[in-house]
Amino acid sequence: MTKVSARFLTSAAQPSDFPPPSLPEVAVVGRSNVGKSSLINTLVGQPGLARTSRTPGRTRLVNWFQIDDRFHLVDLPGYGYAQVSQATREGWRPLIESYLAKRTSLAGVLLLIDIRRGVQDEELDFVPWLEERAMPVVVALTKADKLAKNKRVLEVARARQALALRKDPVAVSTTSNEGIDALWRAVVQLSIDSKPARPARPAKPA
Ligand code: GTP
Ligand code: MG
């Protein structure tokens, strides 16, 4: 894998704190605890970059990471974790939704699904929502190391069919590194294919 330089840029608890759009962005989206932050760390080869946890709901802010001087990876809070309070969930939803619906520099979405859970209602709603907006999506099935090879192949086919994807989702694991190189290439491609970001307002000088 090509070595990249990745650094934490900023985080935001509300849309007014989002940084001005500049480089193209690839947003990492998925259920709480699906492995978003771990995957970002593995993709860029920096174990401590994004904070991970066994406790679902770890990432409560939108976090921006800059990859070389080329694009941003954006770690969004996870959806669908029943144990967090209603109030907390109601606080995240607008944050995630306003990011996805309004971010002018958004180049594509990396949607993660736990390979053992498979596609659920949220993903069945979300993928068509992205397609209506002509937003490119790459789907990855996480924690592939938890299933035997024959089951992995089966789950890849099931997810593709359930979401009517044009390509197979990528089965990935941050412990075995399965699928990591292929997924990284797909993520970089999303950032390259995007139109140049058009800042809503001129970026403020640093
Ligand atoms: P939130 O920020 O809470 O939404 O979670 P997240 O989606 O960022 O998940 P995170 O990366 O924090 O990982 C959640 C748990 O899954 C941690 O205990 C990780 O070690 C574990 N995990 C992540 N990826 C893998 C994987 O590929 N294989 C295995 N076996 N465990 C993984
Ligand atoms: Mg996280």
Side-chain angles (χ1 to χ4, degrees):
M1 190 171 131
T2 334
K3 204 94 185 87
V4 295
S5 135
R7 66 184 176 92
F8 171 74
L9 203 64
T10 189
S11 48
Q14 55 200 27
S16 57
D17 296 335
F18 291 176
S22 54
L23 294 173
E25 297 186 345
V26 176
V28 184
V29 181
R31 189 170 288 277
S32 267
N33 210 45
V34 71
K36 297 176 293 298
S37 302
S38 306
L39 187 63
I40 289 176
N41 292 342
T42 302
L43 286 171
V44 304
Q46 290 187 34
L49 188 67
R51 246 187 259 162
T52 65
S53 169
R54 250 186 266 250
T55 317
R58 169 76 243 183
T59 308
R60 283 150 193 248
L61 306 169
V62 184
N63 290 298
W64 278 261
F65 301 97
Q66 181 158 331
I67 311 303
D68 296 328
D69 51 3
R70 297 161 69 195
F71 68 99
H72 294 155
L73 273 178
V74 181
D75 191 6
L76 290 172
Y79 55 75
Y81 181 55
Q83 262 42 275
V84 299
S85 72
Q86 183 72 16
T88 310
R89 238 180 309 155
E90 293 308 308
W92 292 346
R93 260 185 84 105
L95 186 64
I96 300 172
E97 287 178 359
S98 82
Y99 175 85
L100 291 170
K102 299 196 193 125
R103 189 72 174 162
T104 56
S105 48
L106 185 61
V109 168
L110 172 55
L111 172 63
L112 305 187
I113 299 168
D114 188 319
I115 199 163
R116 297 163 305 173
R117 286 170 164 258
V119 172
Q120 298 190 33
D121 288 349
E122 286 88 346
E123 291 84 27
L124 288 173
D125 286 344
F126 184 50
V127 170
W129 185 88
L130 290 171
E131 281 166 357
E132 275 163 30
R133 285 157 180 80
M135 181 54 67
V137 59
V138 167
V139 178
L141 303 182
T142 62
K143 311 194 187 183
D145 56 285
K146 301 262 196 182
L147 286 187
K149 174 86 181 158
N150 58 336
K151 292 243 174 74
R152 296 206 285 273
V153 173
L154 193 70
E155 290 305 327
V156 165
R158 283 172 73 163
R160 178 178 178 167
Q161 198 195 12
L163 296 172
L165 301 174
R166 264 171 293 150
K167 287 193 285 185
D168 275 349
V170 193
V172 292
S173 166
T174 62
T175 56
S176 73
N177 283 340
E178 173 178 349
I180 296 296
D181 285 354
L183 185 60
W184 182 247
R185 285 193 294 274
V187 166
V188 170
Q189 199 58 48
L190 281 180
S191 75
I192 292 172
D193 288 344
S194 68
K195 298 188 207 86
R198 272 166 294 129
R201 54 193 158 94
K204 289 197 191 97

